[in-house]
Amino acid sequence: MRSFLSAMISIFCVFILASCGKEPSSASKSEVIKIGGIFSASGGAAPLGKPEMGTVKMLVKELNENGGVNGKKIELIAYDDKSDQNEAVLSTKKLIEQEKVTAIIGGTISGNSLAMIPQVEKAGIPYISLAASKQIVQPDDHSPRNWTFKTAQGDDIVISKLLGYLKENGLQKVAWLNVANAYGTSGHEEFKRFAPDYGIKAVIEEEFEATVDDAKAMLTRVKKANPQAIIVWGTAQESAVITKNIHQLGINVPVIESHGIGTKSFIDLAGEAAEGVIFPVGRILVAEQLPDSDPQKETLLKYKKDFEKAYNYEPTTFGGHAWDAFHLLINAIKEAGTDKEKIKEKLENTKNFVGISGIFNMDKNDHTGLTADSLVMVKIKDGKFVIAE
Amino acid sequence: MDIWNQFVQLLFSGLTVGSIYALVALGFVITYSITGILNLSQGDFAMLGALICISFVNSGFPFIIAILLSIVLVMIIGGLFERSAIHPARYSSTATLIIITIGAAFVFRGIAIFVWGTQPYALRPFTGNDSLQIFGAVIQTQNIWAIGISLVSLAVLYFFFNKTYMGKAVTACVVNPFAARLMGIQPRKMSFGAIVISAGLGALAGIIIAPISGASYDMGVMIGLKAFIAAVIGGLTNAPAAIAGAFIIGILEAFTEGYFSSGYKDAISFGLLLLVLFFMPNGIFAKASGKRV
Amino acid sequence: MGLDVKKIYNGSTKGSLLVAVILLVLPLVFSTNNYLLSTMIMIGFYTIVSTGLTLLMGYAGQISLGQAAFYGIGSYTSAYFTTHFGLSPWLAMIAGAVLAAMVAFVIGIPAFRLREHYLALATLGFGVIVFTFFKEWKEITGGLNGFFGIPPIRLFGITIQTDFQFYYLVWVFALAGILFARNIVRSRVGRALLSIHGSEVAANSLGVNITKYKLQMFMISAVYASIAGSLYAHYVTFINPQLFEMITSIYFLIMVVIGGNGSIWGGLVGATVYVCLGELLKEIVPLFIPNASGEFEIVFFGILLVMMLIYMPNGLSHSISKIVKRLLPDWRQKNESMLVSENENAGSVGGERL
């Protein structure tokens, strides 16, 4: 009997849950446009998701203060998927079924975006992802991607930029090191795919853990292989350890890294080892140094200023992807209203949109719209980020 | 880089990593010996120590004061943990207590995220960034600090347990709490003391490692686990053996990374754990004691 | 104050049937609310794993911190065989279950000679090793990039695609799992386990082969987790190793602790409360702390875990039954038994402290 009772209690919980969730939380549809957001504001991807969520919230507030879109206010329903795939999927369903949003922005990590995509494709709702994987818009298994867009440069674009730099500087034989997570392996895949096109060969390819304390053991093998340059593909913390170790072992070749290190904490962590490190990244990192003729400069500076004023930390390229997604969506809504099919068409026809991540030009087959030109090579000099073209 | 250089370099890497594990493993051993509890949140004391120290340093405290204050603060946290989570559950089964420490670990991590966020922080090395060249291999001064401090701690603890009254009282509590009480020793206070000291050691470990690999809210997880393996290999009640175990793990990992591949590093360490548990559960340094684990 | 053998056999059939009926009728009432259905589907997967783990922890008294490994073995086996070899999902599921059982057997033989905390460590280590293989065997699992394109399940010619259909699939399995657990508990094996739980020494002297029964339970819990994993793979169609990390094993543990490890419904209760609390927190926390994010969940569950272990070590099922006992003393006669000793101080997760 007691176990029956406890089972009853749990069923009761479910009813509570159901009734909690069932009431859509706002006024009648005609006064408000609902947009859904799913960001990894906590968990492993929080450094990416937090600025994303912050950016969208800030932009919604600003837009509503200035009258909204076509006279209607925007209501943002934002969920934190805690960097967990299951949460992302559940939140997507909630947004589609209960909140009945017009469009969704989000999916900080590629894995989460990929898990969300079947839902949005089935439901026929415009979805702009903020993650980088090529599979999000050009899947290897050719599953449908009619409603899915993304505003982050794919790793294929970033790698191309990096390979281009290597070729220009005559660095043919390189060592490739990536962090052992989805971010690192994605970069590795693209590197393997494109390196031959640029005449670049990897003399050694290795992985390092995200929790690495000391990689000198692995680097001894790298040193043995005698590369002309070392590529380190990871985010700030672990890349800093590797960079320091390279410096400590006295391996004196150019070190080229990924856009993941584009934050001040990398310089703090790597100390003097960071000097001379080069990496491709979006222009926002060096906005002040851009020539005034650069079409993105003004937008970049304004975004940086607004974000830092609101939140007191730098927005990063990831916040930038969210900025782009939001504005692309709002522009589409301005012209197409809340008709999902029309919004999708407007997005597909984006031409010359000056965003934070770059200048977007989309079409039916290209749902990202960015090229290698959206990135710049940046060098760390005297503890600061400097454009290195 | 020739064979000999690489070998020495790997050895140094292993010793560095091993010394970090050693300090945390010492904490495990102390807690276990005195209270019979496996504290799976031990690694998080290291994390708290590192982050608190960084906060003090960034607020302008002199370096040494910051270190001492952080250690003391973490010891207080350890004490609170003992009183609120361990003490009320002291009659529960050991499995229950293990799970309680897991819960505590979650709480520490959550609080860390709340206070410091998820990004990594940097701490400057104790005596500057120079490296020494020994036998053609490179070692940082910070790493030498790590190795040195762990050995010194070991010496201090050995002295304490074997040569002082307090230490012997503590040992008595483990061997026979009832008899200990007859002699006027209070096991309850011992439990409190054990965890507080372990917390302090953990904090020290974290502060030493922060200059080498940065500090973030999740740095404690793997460090704690690996140190755990080290302690088990050493026999869980034998401090010098645990330290030896820590260095063994460190060196094993370094050599795996250096000669083989870095992806399987964790699997090798945990594989060693399983081997030891299955075939030599009292640790590889234990004499046959007949007491089943 | 001991265990009343008579009570074991007087199960509450009416109560169980009622729960089953409610579960089966639910989607018909909420058929358009896919969010609710998916939540219940996730609860379903977790129920299956937790029921298996409850058998292991509550009845056999053994602790496992590595169930996610079996969950993952089921997922990846199903994914691999259905995608690369076009094998029927049912055959793949069986393959996964067999593999999981074999792995459990191999690990179990040496592991169950260990006690309590050493066993916990061994299962923890085992979980990490399996996770490392998921990460590194890129040709088979796709590594950290994940494995996508897992095909859906077909049953009697219907392809199971919608949440509505999948709900029934999962819950039929879940209820079957609970039924099966009940049969085990009532069988010879169950009685043997009772005796082990009561006192290993006594059981041994009566000729009960302790290791064999513990091993059987471990293998059974592995099969439960594996089947849940297979179903899960077909539901989400995209899996990656990070779904099967150590933390997932700990969440399963939390579910069993919450649910109570002496009742076959423990898995269901724990899974439901865990998921519901999670969703509830998502709604409530932002109201009090506007800029909060998911960290609070972790802290909350950590504190909850600690509190439950200190004050309610036998889980919700036990506490609720205590309340019932006080309110309605004559219901005791018809009760299903609690296999955990009713001595409250021996908060027993995984056996008595010697």
Side-chain angles (χ1 to χ4, degrees):
Chain A
M1 206 52 196
R2 62 200 90 185
S3 33
F4 157 67
L5 261 181
S6 44
M8 285 307 291
I9 305 255
S10 35
I11 304 290
F12 183 58
C13 284
V14 174
F15 276 105
I16 297 185
L17 176 73
S19 50
C20 255
K22 256 184 125 185
E23 291 138 36
S25 48
S26 78
S28 67
K29 258 178 122 178
S30 55
E31 292 171 9
V32 149
I33 303 180
K34 290 168 106 168
I35 298 185
I38 301 179
F39 309 101
S40 301
S42 64
L48 286 64
K50 259 188 141 129
E52 288 171 4
M53 191 183 256
T55 300
V56 178
K57 282 191 175 168
M58 174 184 89
L59 290 173
V60 166
K61 187 155 166 270
E62 191 189 323
L63 188 61
N64 284 342
E65 275 165 10
N66 290 328
V69 177
N70 301 339
K72 299 191 196 156
K73 296 231 189 274
I74 301 281
E75 185 186 339
L76 172 71
I77 299 152
Y79 292 131
D80 173 10
D81 66 13
K82 302 193 278 286
S83 307
D84 178 83
Q85 185 184 315
N86 294 328
E87 287 286 338
V89 172
L90 274 182
S91 305
T92 310
K93 292 202 184 182
K94 207 169 174 185
L95 287 173
I96 298 179
E97 312 262 339
Q98 302 214 163
E99 303 290 349
K100 304 213 193 313
V101 296
T102 306
I104 299 181
I105 298 180
T108 307
I109 329 177
S110 298
N112 289 11
S113 292
L114 287 171
M116 287 160 65
I117 286 175
Q119 313 301 321
V120 299
E121 291 288 331
K122 230 193 303 178
I125 180 171
Y127 164 55
I128 308 185
S129 161
L130 308 176
S133 167
K134 209 164 68 80
Q135 307 289 341
I136 295 176
V137 289
Q138 276 165 349
D140 283 340
D141 66 349
H142 304 294
S143 44
R145 292 289 191 269
N146 302 322
W147 297 90
T148 308
F149 298 81
K150 80 173 161 79
T151 51
Q153 294 93 339
D155 285 335
D156 50 340
I157 296 181
V158 186
I159 290 282
S160 303
K161 183 89 184 174
L162 189 150
L163 290 170
Y165 174 82
L166 288 173
K167 184 167 180 200
E168 262 175 60
N169 288 283
L171 302 163
Q172 316 286 106
K173 297 214 192 58
V174 299
W176 169 275
L177 309 173
N178 66 273
V179 61
N181 62 23
Y183 176 73
T185 47
S186 170
H188 193 197
E189 291 300 316
E190 300 304 324
F191 175 78
K192 280 193 288 202
R193 201 185 303 229
F194 289 113
D197 296 343
Y198 291 80
I200 311 282
K201 187 164 159 21
V203 294
I204 182 171
E205 289 164 84
E206 281 296 331
E207 280 193 344
F208 52 91
E209 294 296 314
T211 50
V212 66
D213 298 320
D214 178 295
K216 296 212 209 52
M218 182 257 289
L219 286 169
T220 57
R221 272 184 293 144
V222 171
K223 194 170 178 180
K224 255 184 164 172
N226 222 354
Q228 291 174 299
I230 303 183
I231 306 176
V232 181
W233 193 270
T235 48
Q237 187 169 11
E238 62 275 3
S239 302
V241 177
I242 306 292
T243 313
K244 274 200 298 192
N245 290 160
I246 293 177
H247 182 77
Q248 286 157 357
L249 280 180
I251 307 180
N252 253 330
V253 295
V255 176
I256 299 134
E257 312 215 7
S258 79
H259 49 300
I261 65 164
T263 86
K264 191 166 171 302
S265 58
F266 174 78
I267 302 184
D268 287 337
L269 288 167
E272 56 186 32
E275 189 72 13
V277 167
I278 298 189
F279 61 105
V281 73
R283 285 180 167 75
I284 187 170
L285 200 62
V286 288
E288 298 87 1
Q289 297 165 38
L290 295 166
D292 286 338
S293 55
D294 188 310
Q296 284 183 275
K297 185 170 183 182
E298 210 187 302
T299 324
L300 291 171
L301 288 175
K302 179 173 189 300
Y303 171 50
K304 259 186 115 162
K305 194 169 78 141
D306 291 342
F307 189 90
E308 281 168 18
K309 182 153 149 234
Y311 295 105
N312 236 335
Y313 63 97
E314 24 173 80
T316 76
T317 51
F318 303 105
H321 300 324
W323 191 100
D324 295 330
F326 182 77
H327 278 98
L328 282 169
L329 182 61
I330 294 297
N331 289 347
I333 295 180
K334 272 200 186 126
E335 297 182 32
T338 52
D339 180 325
K340 300 193 178 81
E341 185 72 43
K342 294 217 184 89
I343 294 179
K344 172 169 79 97
E345 277 171 25
K346 289 286 166 207
L347 285 172
E348 274 177 351
N349 287 323
T350 305
K351 295 280 176 260
N352 274 328
F353 172 72
V354 177
I356 303 291
S357 314
I359 302 181
F360 290 84
N361 281 297
M362 299 197 196
D363 63 44
K364 216 165 163 50
N365 293 324
D366 181 2
H367 278 194
T368 300
L370 291 172
T371 65
D373 283 334
S374 56
L375 303 162
V376 282
M377 294 305 284
V378 165
K379 189 181 211 158
I380 299 181
K381 197 160 151 29
D382 300 326
K384 295 208 190 323
F385 295 119
V386 166
I387 304 185
E389 305 271 42
Chain B
M1 189 182 217
D2 72 274
I3 309 270
W4 175 239
N5 275 349
Q6 187 187 22
F7 180 83
V8 178
Q9 187 65 60
L10 294 179
L11 197 61
F12 281 163
S13 280
L15 286 176
T16 306
V17 169
S19 54
I20 305 295
Y21 295 157
L23 277 172
V24 181
L26 267 181
F28 270 130
V29 169
I30 292 178
T31 309
Y32 182 77
S33 316
I34 298 180
T35 65
I37 299 172
L38 286 181
N39 182 5
L40 288 180
S41 63
Q42 182 71 24
D44 294 296
F45 289 136
M47 176 267 290
L48 288 172
L51 287 172
I52 293 179
C53 186
I54 292 178
S55 292
F56 276 136
V57 168
N58 287 346
S59 313
F61 284 75
F63 201 43
I64 305 275
I65 308 276
I67 296 182
L68 290 172
L69 272 180
S70 334
I71 296 182
V72 169
L73 199 52
V74 175
M75 286 168 84
I76 295 178
I77 295 178
L80 282 170
F81 161 63
E82 200 274 342
R83 285 290 103 176
S84 57
I86 304 289
H87 187 73
R90 63 192 178 285
Y91 297 121
S92 309
S93 67
T94 23
T96 305
L97 283 163
I98 294 180
I99 303 180
I100 289 184
T101 61
I102 294 179
F106 280 359
V107 175
F108 290 144
R109 255 168 259 161
I111 295 180
I113 296 181
F114 183 57
V115 177
W116 289 285
T118 53
Q119 73 266 34
Y121 290 89
L123 183 65
R124 50 154 271 231
F126 294 177
T127 51
N129 230 340
D130 332 294
S131 15
L132 300 177
Q133 280 243 1
I134 307 183
F135 295 127
V138 174
I139 186 165
Q140 306 328 106
T141 47
Q142 187 67 22
N143 301 7
I144 299 182
W145 274 111
I147 300 177
I149 292 187
S150 62
L151 291 174
V152 167
S153 311
L154 175 64
V156 169
L157 284 169
Y158 179 76
F159 181 75
F160 175 73
F161 277 110
N162 287 7
K163 307 282 181 200
T164 67
Y165 176 75
M166 225 6 217
K168 297 220 160 176
V170 161
T171 316
C173 290
V174 180
V175 173
N176 190 335
F178 185 62
R181 244 183 272 129
L182 285 176
M183 298 296 287
I185 301 169
Q186 285 176 297
R188 236 182 311 144
K189 281 214 189 130
M190 295 304 158
S191 159
F192 182 75
I195 295 196
V196 167
I197 294 181
S198 305
L201 277 172
L204 182 60
I207 295 176
I208 294 180
I209 196 182
I212 300 178
S213 61
S216 60
Y217 77 102
D218 61 354
M219 64 187 276
V221 184
M222 261 310 160
I223 294 182
L225 279 177
K226 299 284 175 64
F228 215 169
I229 300 178
V232 170
I233 292 179
L236 269 189
T237 50
N238 188 343
I243 301 231
F247 284 116
I248 291 178
I249 299 258
I251 294 177
L252 183 66
E253 284 189 355
F255 279 95
T256 307
E257 259 195 289
Y259 291 127
F260 185 41
S261 131
S262 22
Y264 282 98
K265 204 174 49 155
D266 288 345
I268 302 268
S269 296
F270 281 97
L272 182 62
L273 170 71
L274 289 183
L275 282 176
V276 170
L277 281 178
F278 293 161
F279 298 115
M280 290 176 282
N282 282 323
I284 59 183
F285 296 106
K287 304 170 216 123
S289 66
K291 178 161 178 239
R292 206 189 102 174
V293 155
Chain C
M1 202 51 164
L3 302 157
D4 189 341
V5 178
K6 243 193 293 171
K7 280 200 221 161
I8 301 173
Y9 293 96
N10 289 344
S12 168
T13 325
K14 272 185 284 179
S16 319
L17 269 181
L18 189 52
V19 172
V21 166
I22 293 182
L23 282 171
L24 292 172
V25 162
L26 201 80
L28 298 173
V29 175
F30 294 106
S31 56
T32 50
N33 192 340
N34 273 343
Y35 165 63
L36 179 65
L37 289 179
S38 338
T39 312
M40 288 301 295
I41 292 175
M42 288 308 297
I43 296 181
F45 295 130
Y46 294 152
T47 300
I48 300 176
V49 182
S50 300
T51 306
L53 189 56
T54 303
L55 281 173
L56 182 68
M57 281 180 64
Y59 290 92
Q62 305 303 302
I63 185 169
S64 167
L65 292 177
Q67 291 304 96
F70 298 122
Y71 191 52
I73 289 178
S75 288
Y76 273 109
T77 310
S78 281
Y80 186 67
F81 284 116
T82 52
T83 315
H84 291 307
F85 291 105
L87 201 66
S88 144
W90 302 106
L91 287 179
M93 190 186 298
I94 295 179
V98 168
L99 183 60
M102 279 174 15
V103 172
F105 183 74
V106 167
I107 295 289
I109 292 188
F112 283 108
R113 289 187 289 136
L114 303 169
R115 286 266 184 84
E116 296 178 341
H117 42 266
Y118 286 107
L119 177 62
L121 270 188
T123 51
L124 191 73
F126 156 69
V128 172
I129 293 178
V130 173
F131 170 72
T132 309
F133 280 117
F134 288 155
K135 239 188 348 151
E136 298 295 319
W137 269 359
K138 299 202 182 99
E139 316 79 47
I140 300 188
T141 64
L144 287 158
N145 280 331
F147 193 121
F148 57 94
I150 304 173
I153 297 187
R154 292 179 57 85
L155 181 65
F156 305 131
I158 313 175
T159 311
I160 307 217
Q161 292 258 352
T162 67
D163 284 333
F164 187 79
Q165 296 164 324
F166 216 98
Y167 177 95
Y168 279 111
L169 183 65
V170 171
W171 279 101
V172 164
F173 269 92
L175 288 171
I178 297 181
L179 188 65
F180 185 68
R182 191 194 221 198
N183 288 343
I184 293 181
V185 164
R186 290 182 176 189
S187 72
R188 198 151 172 264
V189 178
R191 276 177 282 148
L193 288 171
L194 260 182
S195 65
I196 296 173
H197 205 99
S199 162
E200 280 202 29
V201 175
N204 221 344
S205 60
L206 282 174
V208 175
N209 186 343
I210 302 181
T211 317
K212 169 174 149 202
Y213 287 115
K214 289 187 193 174
L215 196 58
Q216 276 182 354
M217 281 299 120
F218 190 46
M219 288 168 69
I220 291 180
S221 76
V223 169
Y224 268 81
S226 169
I227 291 182
S230 297
L231 290 171
Y232 176 72
H234 290 291
Y235 179 62
V236 288
T237 72
F238 169 72
I239 57 178
N240 70 78
Q242 268 147 344
L243 294 167
F244 309 111
E245 271 185 311
M246 194 197 319
I247 190 97
T248 310
S249 292
I250 296 191
Y251 283 141
F252 289 139
L253 193 73
I254 293 181
M255 287 178 220
V256 172
V257 168
I258 295 178
N261 47 36
S263 157
I264 54 171
W265 294 102
L268 172 60
V269 172
T272 309
V273 172
Y274 172 77
V275 174
C276 288
L277 269 181
E279 293 297 299
L280 217 72
L281 281 175
K282 257 206 299 217
E283 296 286 317
I284 296 185
V285 171
L287 298 177
F288 291 110
I289 313 169
N291 263 330
S293 36
E295 290 100 36
F296 288 93
E297 252 195 56
I298 312 176
V299 179
F300 180 78
F301 276 113
I303 297 181
L304 179 69
L305 186 61
V306 176
M307 303 258 84
M308 289 223 59
L309 283 169
I310 297 177
Y311 299 111
M312 275 199 284
N314 289 326
L316 272 182
S317 350
H318 186 70
S319 306
I320 290 171
S321 69
K322 275 201 298 184
I323 299 175
V324 171
K325 263 195 260 178
R326 256 180 242 147
L327 297 175
L328 303 153
D330 42 48
W331 275 23
R332 277 191 96 193
Q333 304 311 313
K334 299 197 224 137
N335 290 348
E336 195 167 280
S337 80
M338 287 299 290
L339 294 188
V340 174
S341 157
E342 288 175 306
N343 179 355
E344 255 106 71
N345 279 340
S348 56
V349 171
E352 305 286 331
R353 181 173 194 192
L354 288 172

